[in-house]
Amino acid sequence: MPLEKPDIFNATGVFREMGIKFSKLEKYEKSLPYFDQALKRSPEDMRALKGRAMCRAQACKYNDALKDVATMQAIVPDDIYVLGSECLIKYLCCEFERAMMENLNSIPSRMKPDNFVMGVMHCEDAIQNNVGIRAGHPLRDHFQIIRKLAWQRVFEKAKPYQPKTKYKKKKKISEEEKMVTQLAAPKAKLPLPAKRSRRKSNVSIGTTLSMRKFESEIRENLLSEGSSIQDSLHSIKDSGHQIPILFNYPFKPIQRYTSNVQNLMAERYLDKMYHDKVFLERLKNRLGLESPNENGVRKIKELAKKSSKYIYYNQELLRARRPFYLLRLQDAKAGGKLKERQLERERAMMKYCENEAATLIDKIQMAIRNHNLRIVIESAEKLYSFCETTPKKTLPKRDWYLQQLYALVRDGYYRTKILRSYMNEEQKIARIAVILGLPRDKQGSTDSLLTQFKDYFVDRKKQCKIFQDRVRRSCNRVELVWCYHELSRLHFEQNEYELAKAYVTKSLKESYLLKDDRWVINSMFMMIKVHVVNKNKNGAKIELRQCRRIAKRTDDHKLEDFINESIKVLNNTPMEVMQPTKLLEMRTKNILKLLRSDSIKKEASLIFNRISALPPNKRMSVMPGIVYPTLSSTRLKIDDRSIQTEGSLKLRHRQIEKNDPEQYNRGVSFMEHMQNYLE
């Protein structure tokens, strides 16, 4: 019996150090057997397990490396080095998300050495290369391919469901059906006879003519059937004809100007190993490979297959960390093509934004010519929002468009103070009543200014908040005038007349500083509406006379005529402050005078007596011409604890001025506090 060969002294340490030595020389395949020998003698040697795990990871044997890591974790569960090795191996096998999570969870436990910090940086770099900003626009650059696939999927989903049997019976095909299938096939020919005579007789010519006639008839029948049944949406034709044609596509895919993408990718990722990959791929088709030595040929083929698989696997790992479209983007940046494309896209975007702004300006000008104030207000809001959200780099003439906006809105309001030549007296009075805020009958009107705001909903509270923010951010006096005027109009429409008067005072002050007569006229007419609602006829007359002086100074005869007519209408309108009960008594007497028969008068008087128990603001709502004085126009609302008098409001006014003078100058803070106190 042969004696066993004695083992060398400290064999585990010798083999382990040999493996570590070869791993430092980057000869990983050669170092693995030494680690195997060391672990065969001592399976729980941590240094040997760590060394073999890293060598397997460098040799792209990631599953075996993870097994070694699992073994180390079973031996030492809380070892930081083992956790770092696991994170690194997961990163190398392209599990970037899991590796990043584990690195981030392990950073608080150990900052130095910075294995986990570097692991996070590697994983974040790989993720950014794939889906981040630095990756560019791969979907857009390959849009035609994705578009074709998407259309094909849509085409397949639109097909009706056709159940298929598992066992299908074979049908016997008759000779006539064989003839039909042969004729239906492209370039099909009828079966020729087995023998042909060199000389054709009259009989053979007749038979061939009859066969050709028969063949043409069958083809015509097939075409007619195909046009009615077969030629449908889901026919035998390819679905490619259903994809719409795309014209003037600016981003062509890389495959258009790259003849061999696979070789280009291999060259970029493998460098010199690209030639090895090409050699191994061509080796299996070489004529000199085949020889009588079958065992040698088989070994060579196996080695070539194994090596090509290894090279391809490494290439895919490298491509996962740095995708091919990232490399193409870096090439475009280095060559200057990307900058040219970006400049072209910026120029196209600038042209688009200028066209949009010019279109809105033209729309506002058209609405002013057609005297459509609602379209002017809507389009002005759209244009301001568009200029506000568009950066100045994309819209260089943004300030010029905003100046045009303010001027057009001013002209839109100014053009409403005019009386047309075709208007009769009733229409003129209705127009003046709308401009001045006078009460008018609830009857249908043919005036365009009255009908264009009919059934038009606007969230005025939301608009007030928007304009208040614009006042805070405004650094232009013209914009301030517009914002104050709009705030006054919106509060007036919400029956908040105190706030409307405060904002229109601000607008009037800024208009005088701006020295713009048209904005002064618009603000004055807004002030007149507030005076009319508050039954202040003298204040309204003073403002109208001031407007007439400005119209004479600017030689605007149409405005002067409008103001003269407005003064006449205002003088003829009674504005005495009367009790609601007296107004109701006068109105009921007038109604009873219109009634002729005594029976109807008695019934009407009985009805009026029955509804006399209701409060005044709920009676006679069907009768036009009665405007009840609101609580806000006569006195301040009564609070449960105290009455807010004029002196207390002035005191609050001074406190706000001391605390926040900048916001006080804009008037927004004081208006908000005033509104809160009134509510």
Side-chain angles (χ1 to χ4, degrees):
M1 184 175 180
L3 296 174
E4 291 183 359
K5 190 176 180 180
D7 200 359
I8 60 176
F9 178 74
N10 194 13
T12 303
V14 171
F15 287 118
R16 182 185 64 222
E17 295 302 322
M18 289 288 290
I20 292 171
K21 181 68 175 178
F22 282 115
S23 66
K24 289 180 180 179
L25 296 174
E26 297 183 359
K27 297 181 180 180
Y28 305 111
E29 293 289 345
K30 196 172 182 178
S31 65
L32 287 175
Y34 292 103
F35 284 119
D36 293 338
Q37 290 292 330
L39 290 169
K40 185 179 179 181
R41 288 166 173 77
S42 178
E44 295 185 356
D45 189 0
M46 290 297 295
R47 289 191 64 193
L49 284 170
K50 292 176 185 177
R52 191 173 73 172
M54 294 309 300
C55 287
R56 284 179 171 178
Q58 295 295 332
C60 300
K61 298 179 179 180
Y62 299 112
N63 293 328
D64 297 335
L66 288 173
K67 289 179 182 178
D68 290 338
V69 170
T71 306
M72 286 189 286
Q73 285 180 345
I75 298 170
V76 186
D78 299 329
D79 193 354
I80 298 296
Y81 184 83
V82 175
L83 292 175
S85 302
E86 185 181 8
C87 295
L88 178 60
I89 292 168
K90 286 181 179 178
Y91 163 73
L92 291 174
C93 62
C94 300
E95 293 183 4
F96 307 126
E97 294 84 358
R98 290 178 61 186
M100 188 172 184
M101 289 172 60
E102 292 181 3
N103 279 311
L104 287 171
N105 293 332
S106 303
I107 283 175
S109 59
R110 185 170 185 177
M111 297 290 294
K112 293 291 182 178
D114 52 355
N115 295 329
F116 298 116
V117 178
M118 292 299 295
V120 170
M121 293 173 64
H122 288 313
C123 296
E124 187 177 1
D125 188 64
I127 293 169
Q128 288 291 330
N129 288 339
N130 282 273
V131 296
I133 300 173
R134 68 178 72 166
H137 303 277
L139 296 180
R140 187 192 64 193
D141 294 339
H142 298 78
F143 183 72
Q144 285 183 334
I145 301 170
I146 296 169
R147 186 167 175 269
K148 184 177 180 181
L149 293 173
W151 273 99
Q152 285 179 352
R153 288 174 186 168
V154 171
F155 181 82
E156 292 294 331
K157 286 182 180 179
K159 282 186 177 180
Y161 176 70
Q162 295 179 355
K164 295 181 181 179
T165 58
K166 190 175 182 181
Y167 303 103
K168 196 172 182 180
K169 294 182 180 180
K170 293 183 179 180
K171 294 183 179 179
K172 294 182 179 180
I173 302 173
S174 61
E175 294 181 359
E176 294 179 358
E177 290 177 350
K178 286 182 181 179
M179 180 73 71
V180 170
T181 52
Q182 288 177 1
L183 292 173
K187 297 181 182 180
K189 294 182 180 180
L190 290 171
L192 298 174
K195 293 182 180 180
R196 282 188 179 180
S197 59
R198 292 180 181 178
R199 295 180 182 179
K200 291 183 179 180
S201 60
N202 295 330
V203 179
S204 62
I205 292 170
T207 53
T208 53
L209 288 173
S210 63
M211 290 295 290
R212 287 177 183 174
K213 187 176 180 181
F214 176 70
E215 180 181 353
S216 63
E217 288 177 359
I218 291 176
R219 281 181 177 166
E220 287 176 1
N221 293 331
L222 286 172
L223 288 173
S224 64
E225 290 177 2
S227 61
S228 60
I229 300 172
Q230 297 294 333
D231 192 10
S232 61
L233 178 63
H234 303 288
S235 61
I236 305 171
K237 294 181 182 179
D238 185 16
S239 62
H241 72 285
Q242 299 290 337
I243 301 172
I245 300 171
L246 187 67
F247 297 100
N248 299 327
Y249 181 62
F251 307 105
K252 293 183 179 180
I254 299 170
Q255 284 83 343
R256 287 292 184 91
Y257 51 86
T258 307
S259 59
N260 197 342
V261 183
Q262 297 296 330
N263 290 342
L264 179 63
M265 291 170 64
E267 188 177 3
R268 292 299 300 271
Y269 288 114
L270 299 176
D271 201 9
K272 293 181 180 180
M273 289 178 65
Y274 158 69
H275 300 288
D276 299 334
K277 182 182 178 183
V278 174
F279 171 76
L280 292 170
E281 287 178 351
R282 293 177 181 176
L283 184 62
K284 57 184 178 181
N285 297 325
R286 276 196 169 188
L287 297 176
L289 184 64
E290 299 294 336
S291 68
N293 188 3
E294 295 181 359
N295 293 330
V297 171
R298 187 169 60 255
K299 287 181 180 179
I300 291 172
K301 286 184 177 180
E302 289 177 357
L303 286 172
K305 184 178 179 181
K306 185 178 179 181
S307 301
S308 61
K309 186 177 179 181
Y310 177 77
I311 291 174
Y312 179 77
Y313 184 63
N314 284 338
Q315 178 185 335
E316 291 301 313
L317 287 175
L318 294 171
R319 190 166 71 91
R321 296 172 198 167
R322 299 183 69 201
F324 186 62
Y325 48 79
L326 175 69
L327 300 180
R328 298 298 297 181
L329 184 66
Q330 291 176 352
D331 294 344
K333 284 182 179 179
K337 295 179 182 178
L338 179 68
K339 192 172 183 179
E340 293 178 2
R341 201 161 64 232
Q342 288 175 347
L343 289 173
E344 185 180 355
R345 188 162 60 249
E346 287 177 3
R347 285 193 290 269
M349 194 66 189
M350 287 169 60
K351 187 176 180 181
Y352 168 76
C353 292
E354 288 179 359
N355 291 337
E356 286 289 322
T359 303
L360 289 171
I361 290 287
D362 294 340
K363 189 176 180 181
I364 297 173
Q365 291 175 351
M366 182 66 71
I368 291 172
R369 285 194 292 270
N370 297 332
H371 304 285
N372 196 334
L373 185 59
R374 182 168 68 86
I375 300 297
V376 172
I377 296 170
E378 284 182 355
S379 303
E381 185 65 28
K382 289 179 183 178
L383 181 58
Y384 189 89
S385 300
F386 179 75
C387 294
E388 191 178 21
T389 54
T390 306
K392 199 166 185 178
K393 185 178 179 181
T394 309
L395 191 64
K397 298 168 65 177
R398 184 175 65 180
D399 296 335
W400 182 82
Y401 285 119
L402 288 174
Q403 293 296 329
Q404 291 289 317
L405 164 66
Y406 305 142
L408 290 172
V409 172
R410 176 200 63 190
D411 295 341
Y413 282 110
Y414 186 80
R415 294 280 183 89
T416 58
K417 287 84 175 173
I418 190 173
L419 296 175
R420 315 249 182 261
S421 58
Y422 59 83
M423 286 182 175
N424 54 24
E425 289 298 323
E426 187 178 353
Q427 289 176 343
K428 289 179 181 179
I429 292 171
R431 170 66 68 89
I432 292 169
V434 170
I435 299 298
L436 300 184
L438 294 170
R440 55 189 177 85
D441 293 339
K442 297 180 181 179
Q443 296 176 1
S445 175
T446 57
D447 193 352
S448 61
L449 187 64
L450 307 181
T451 56
Q452 61 184 290
F453 286 97
K454 188 178 180 181
D455 299 331
Y456 179 63
F457 174 76
V458 178
D459 192 353
R460 294 183 179 87
K461 290 185 178 179
K462 184 178 179 181
Q463 288 296 112
C464 286
K465 290 180 181 178
I466 291 171
F467 277 102
Q468 285 173 2
D469 292 337
R470 289 175 184 174
V471 168
R472 291 187 181 96
R473 292 184 280 105
S474 176
C475 55
N476 190 357
R477 182 158 284 164
V478 187
E479 184 181 356
L480 275 176
V481 174
W482 173 54
C483 291
Y484 285 141
H485 185 273
E486 290 298 310
L487 281 168
S488 176
R489 179 181 64 84
L490 292 168
H491 283 295
F492 183 85
E493 291 174 357
Q494 297 180 80
N495 300 329
E496 298 172 352
Y497 304 121
E498 293 87 358
L499 293 173
K501 185 177 180 180
Y503 278 120
V504 78
T505 305
K506 288 278 185 181
S507 177
L508 199 58
K509 178 184 175 182
E510 296 292 335
S511 302
Y512 278 123
L513 293 174
L514 193 62
K515 297 180 181 180
D516 193 335
D517 292 332
R518 294 197 172 187
W519 271 123
V520 170
I521 293 292
N522 293 331
S523 302
M524 280 185 174
F525 270 92
M526 197 69 225
M527 182 69 79
I528 290 166
K529 291 178 77 172
V530 176
H531 285 320
V532 168
V533 169
N534 292 328
K535 308 298 180 183
N536 186 4
K537 184 184 285 189
N538 293 328
K541 286 181 181 179
I542 292 169
E543 297 291 342
L544 281 172
R545 293 191 191 105
Q546 183 67 22
C547 291
R548 186 166 57 184
R549 291 193 202 99
I550 296 172
K552 287 180 179 179
R553 190 179 65 200
T554 56
D555 293 332
D556 194 345
H557 301 292
K558 293 183 179 180
L559 179 62
E560 191 175 355
D561 295 339
F562 179 82
I563 293 171
N564 292 329
E565 291 291 331
S566 301
I567 292 172
K568 291 179 184 178
V569 173
L570 194 62
N571 288 329
N572 296 328
T573 304
M575 287 190 181
E576 290 79 9
V577 179
M578 298 179 65
Q579 294 295 328
T581 54
K582 292 183 179 180
L583 288 171
L584 289 171
E585 288 176 3
M586 290 174 59
R587 195 62 179 165
T588 51
K589 288 179 181 179
N590 292 329
I591 291 171
L592 291 173
K593 285 179 183 179
L594 295 173
L595 303 176
R596 294 185 179 180
S597 62
D598 296 334
S599 60
I600 297 175
K601 283 184 180 181
K602 288 180 181 179
E603 292 178 1
S605 61
L606 286 172
I607 292 171
F608 291 146
N609 290 329
R610 286 179 182 176
I611 66 174
S612 61
L614 297 172
N617 59 352
K618 292 185 179 180
R619 277 187 280 168
M620 298 301 194
S621 60
V622 295
M623 292 189 299
I626 296 179
V627 179
Y628 300 109
T630 57
L631 189 64
S632 59
S633 62
T634 55
R635 60 185 177 85
L636 296 174
K637 292 182 180 179
I638 299 175
D639 194 12
D640 294 337
R641 296 180 181 179
S642 63
I643 300 174
Q644 298 295 330
T645 60
E646 187 178 357
S648 62
L649 282 175
K650 286 183 179 179
L651 182 62
R652 185 63 183 166
H653 193 285
R654 290 170 187 168
Q655 290 176 359
I656 295 169
E657 184 179 3
K658 289 180 182 179
N659 295 332
D660 196 351
E662 184 179 355
Q663 293 297 332
Y664 169 77
N665 292 331
R666 294 291 172 88
V668 177
S669 279
F670 176 67
M671 292 299 110
E672 289 178 354
H673 284 284
M674 185 177 176
Q675 189 175 6
N676 293 332
Y677 270 79
L678 289 175
E679 290 175 356

